[in-house]
Amino acid sequence: MADEQTARRVTRRRVRTRANLLDAAFQVFAAKGFGRVSIEEVCEAAGYSRGAFYSNFASLDELFFALYRQRADLIARQVADALAGDGPGLDVPASVDRVTEVLLLDHDWLLVKTDFLVHAARDPAVARSLLEHRATLRGAIADRLGRDRAHTALPAVLGDAEAAAHAVVAAYDGVTTQLLLDKDVDGARAWLKQLLTALLTEGGAHLERHPGIHPGNHPDNHPE
């Protein structure tokens, strides 16, 4: 019994240590950028030794990917939960409202995500893992869009639900790129709502203009 209690305490402490390291790493990566951060800096920010770091992660790359996976999984759950709220039918405007209200649009996360994308572009193994996570997110969206369309049919130009899911993720990527530059979260949510509604319904030509959104703020008008 004593051994089991000790094992549980060790496990809880290890989980807490790992979580603290991830939280500290997120702050350091957002402030300085991946590639400019050392293991020592992460340990100092978390208040742990290098030993604590290496008992949880083999390298800074491994921690970086764990951090990305944590946030990417959160976004996938947010989208899936929002899309699950319609019941058996698909009500695109209502679903878009829920998605854009709960979706994580955090500037620091976007800084870290951008670093990760650049890192993945130079490392085929990391790129494969990243593609798998993006496929999971698209799969959750496609699954919901592919169900009963009694409320709203998808525009024919999008093709099937999988193609529509690709469009949704591309829209999110474009809006978050703009957010990374102007830091206007409210504007990003408003534009994402309008863009997704336009993509997923036939009413895109009749969108209401949000006061903070104008052609100059459209992501396509700001080349990367």
Side-chain angles (χ1 to χ4, degrees), residues 43-124:
C43 292
E44 181 179 354
Y48 293 121
S49 65
R50 287 175 64 93
F53 179 95
Y54 284 115
S55 69
N56 288 276
F57 303 102
S59 65
L60 209 55
D61 277 9
E62 183 180 316
L63 181 149
F64 194 43
F65 186 70
L67 183 62
Y68 178 86
R69 185 169 58 243
Q70 181 188 70
R71 294 300 177 106
D73 288 348
L74 170 62
I75 291 172
R77 287 196 304 273
Q78 288 175 329
V79 171
D81 290 347
L83 291 176
D86 286 332
L90 174 64
D91 184 340
V92 167
S95 292
V96 166
D97 281 348
R98 284 193 297 274
V99 168
T100 52
E101 278 186 21
V102 305
L103 194 60
L104 178 68
L105 291 174
D106 177 77
H107 186 261
D108 284 347
W109 159 239
L110 295 178
L111 287 171
V112 175
K113 174 190 171 186
T114 301
D115 278 345
F116 192 84
L117 288 171
V118 173
H119 180 55
R122 294 190 172 97
D123 187 322

Side-chain angles (χ1 to χ4, degrees), residues 1 6-7 29 41 53 71 79 129 158 168 196 209:
M1 179 65 71
T6 299
F29 288 147
E41 287 174 297
F53 179 95
R71 294 300 177 106
V79 171
S129 296
L158 287 178
V168 168
L196 292 181
R209 179 69 64 188

Side-chain angles (χ1 to χ4, degrees), residues 186-201:
D186 291 338
R189 289 194 191 283
W191 180 245
L192 183 60
K193 177 179 176 179
Q194 294 184 27
L195 189 54
L196 292 181
T197 301
L199 279 171
L200 300 176
T201 71

